[in-house]
Amino acid sequence: MPAELQGSGDKPGGDCHIRRQFYLYADNIAAEKSCYEESVMDLPKIKWGIVGCGNIAGKFTRDIALTDDAEISAVASRAAEKAQAFAEKHNAGNAYGTYAELFRDTDVDIVYIATPHVSHAELSIQAMEHGKHVLCEKPLSLNAKEASAIIETSRRTRRFFMEALWTRFNPAIIAIKKRIDNGEIGEVKFINADFSFKVPGDLDSRVIALELGGGAILDIGIYPAFLSYLILGFPEEIVAKSLFHTLTKCDMQTSMIFTYESAHALLYSGLESGSDMVARISGAEGQIYIHKTWHSPEGYTLVQGETEQVFDLPVKGNGFTCEIEECHKCLRASRIESALWSHKNSLELISILDVARDQVGLVYPQEQ
C-alpha cells in the first residue's frame, strides 16, 4: 500500500434566444482533470478491490481502467467461478470466492462494494476493520442506524469511507450547484424529479426482493431525494405515499413531497413504467432543466427570462470516473471522508428515506 494511503453562437427561436455552447466550466473541469492526471503520473497507483461482480460492478471497473492512477488488484464474489470470470474479463490480479479473502489481501488499498443493499453496512465495516478504505454503492445502508455504525467505524479505524453517489460528482451537477449557489436563478422555490423504469416480471430480481432491500425508495428513490437535499437541504416536512408489489411487498411506486420554509420538492420513483427522467429546478428568477437521464446527465438548460442556454458537459466512460478520482484525491490527502459528499450528507440522506419508509410502512425483515 502506498505510504500516502496509510492513516488517516446566438440563434433566434420563437420568443427566446437559444444559445448552445460547450460551457466554459467544462473547459475548467477538463483543465482541472488534466492537472490532476499530470500530478499523479509519478505516484504509485491506487489498487482497487471489487466486492461483488454484477452489472454495475462491471461498468465501474471499466471506468477504473480509464483512470490513470488506478489499477484493479482483486475481485471477489460468493461464487469463485464468477469472480474468476470477472477477473479475466477486467484484467484483475486476483480472484476470490469469499469477500473475507479479498479483505485480507494486503495489495488492496480500497474496495468498491457493489453487493445487494442488505450487505452494504456489514461489508463496509468488515473492510475497514481489515484496514481497507471503502467506496460503497448507494444506499450505504438500509437505515440511519446502520449508517451511523459505518461512520463510527471509519472514524475509529481512520479509514476513508464514501457512499458511491456518483451523481454528486457529475460535471453537470457540479456546474448546476455552482450556478444556484451564485444566485443565478434566484431563490429556489420548486424541484420536480423522477426516476422510473419498468422492471422485468421476474420475482427473483433483487430490485423487488424485500429481503435484499429492494423497492423503489432505496433503489432509485434515493436519487430524487438526493437532488432535493443537495439544493435545499433537510426538509422540514416529508409526506410519502407508496403502492406495493402484491407478492414481494416491496414498494413499486413512491411519491414524496418535501416541504421547506419557502419551497416544495415533488419527487417520484417507480418500477412499473418509464418516465422522461428530466429534472426541473425553478427559482424566483429562472429555471434549470437537467437533461435526460438526469441522475447521470451530460448537460442542462438554463432559462433566465426570455434567454435559454443549453450547456453540454460530456462524461468519460460510464460516468464513474469522477467519483473514482474524488476517492483518490481524498486518499492521497489522508482524509477519511469527502467534502463533496461527506459522512454527514450520507447520514442525513438515509435519514430522509427512513422517514419516507416509516410513512408508507415499509419495513425490511432485518429491521423486525
Side-chain angles (χ1 to χ4, degrees):
M1 183 181 293
E4 71 272 16
L5 303 190
Q6 301 286 350
S8 33
D10 292 340
K11 134 175 167 179
D15 294 328
C16 294
H17 296 294
I18 303 175
R19 181 171 65 200
R20 177 177 290 276
Q21 61 185 14
F22 191 81
Y23 180 33
L24 288 177
Y25 189 78
D27 292 336
N28 294 338
I29 290 174
E32 289 175 6
K33 290 172 75 65
S34 176
C35 290
Y36 173 75
E37 290 164 358
E38 290 177 7
S39 70
V40 300
M41 286 182 64
D42 296 327
L43 293 175
K45 289 193 174 184
I46 292 174
K47 297 180 179 181
W48 285 79
I50 307 300
V51 178
C53 297
N55 179 52
I56 296 299
K59 292 180 178 180
F60 180 88
T61 304
R62 287 194 290 276
D63 276 8
I64 289 180
L66 300 176
T67 308
D68 290 340
D69 62 332
E71 78 176 52
I72 306 153
S73 181
V75 303
S77 171
R78 290 175 298 177
E81 62 277 10
K82 187 174 183 179
Q84 187 61 47
F86 191 95
E88 291 175 0
K89 181 177 182 179
H90 297 284
N91 299 313
N94 295 302
Y96 299 111
T98 67
Y99 302 139
E101 289 177 281
L102 187 149
F103 295 155
R104 291 193 296 266
D105 187 332
T106 57
D107 285 336
V108 173
D109 299 315
I110 180 170
V111 297
Y112 170 65
I113 295 176
T115 56
H117 305 155
V118 291
S119 60
H120 285 181
E122 179 183 5
L123 293 177
S124 294
I125 290 171
Q126 287 180 9
M128 288 186 283
E129 295 282 10
H130 281 81
K132 306 306 180 194
H133 304 289
V134 175
L135 174 67
C136 180
E137 258 308 329
K138 58 80 197 162
L140 79 164
S141 61
L142 287 183
N143 51 50
K145 181 180 179 181
E146 289 186 351
S148 295
I150 293 171
I151 293 167
E152 187 279 327
T153 304
S154 172
R155 292 173 177 168
R156 174 171 48 81
T157 62
R158 303 307 296 170
R159 297 296 95 183
F160 171 80
F161 176 86
M162 189 174 83
E163 182 180 23
L165 228 165
W166 64 330
T167 308
R168 179 63 184 96
F169 310 97
N170 179 279
I173 297 299
I174 290 175
I176 289 165
K177 180 75 162 59
K178 184 177 180 180
R179 287 187 178 276
I180 291 172
D181 290 347
N182 288 341
E184 295 188 34
I185 63 169
E187 185 180 6
V188 173
K189 295 295 184 180
F190 177 67
I191 294 175
N192 178 213
D194 59 33
F195 193 142
S196 181
F197 63 91
K198 184 174 176 61
V199 298
D202 183 3
L203 290 179
D204 293 329
S205 170
R206 65 125 191 118
V207 178
I208 58 172
L210 193 68
E211 67 275 13
L212 296 179
I217 292 177
L218 283 195
D219 204 68
I220 55 178
I222 189 171
Y223 286 111
F226 155 78
L227 183 64
S228 183
Y229 171 75
L230 179 68
I231 303 303
L232 293 170
F234 204 98
E236 295 183 358
E237 182 182 11
I238 298 169
V239 176
K241 297 289 183 181
S242 294
L243 298 175
F244 295 89
H245 194 289
T246 55
L247 297 177
T248 72
K249 306 304 180 183
C250 74
D251 65 307
M252 297 297 288
Q253 298 183 60
T254 294
S255 296
M256 298 181 286
I257 299 175
F258 292 178
T259 299
Y260 298 86
E261 183 177 355
S262 59
H264 270 163
L266 180 58
L267 315 169
Y268 172 79
S269 56
L271 301 171
E272 296 192 296
S273 65
S275 66
D276 62 7
M277 298 287 285
V278 175
R280 302 161 180 84
I281 304 170
S282 297
E285 299 173 19
Q287 297 84 41
I288 291 175
Y289 301 93
I290 312 177
H291 299 169
K292 185 176 182 177
T293 302
W294 76 260
H295 74 290
S296 180
E298 296 195 277
Y300 64 97
T301 298
L302 171 67
V303 180
Q304 295 169 305
E306 295 186 352
T307 300
E308 183 177 305
Q309 297 172 277
V310 180
F311 300 95
D312 298 317
L313 291 97
V315 299
K316 183 165 69 173
N318 295 306
F320 296 101
T321 55
C322 293
E323 71 175 358
I324 293 169
E325 290 173 357
E326 176 66 14
C327 289
H328 288 193
K329 291 174 186 176
C330 290
L331 294 190
R332 296 197 188 280
S334 297
R335 299 179 190 136
I336 65 168
E337 63 182 307
S338 165
L340 282 179
W341 191 245
S342 67
H343 293 169
K344 178 176 182 287
N345 294 147
S346 289
L347 182 59
E348 290 188 344
L349 182 57
I350 197 67
S351 297
I352 289 171
L353 299 183
D354 279 357
V355 174
R357 288 201 299 117
D358 183 63
Q359 288 219 348
V360 303
L362 178 60
V363 180
Y364 293 109
Q366 297 82 355
E367 299 173 313
Q368 293 177 344

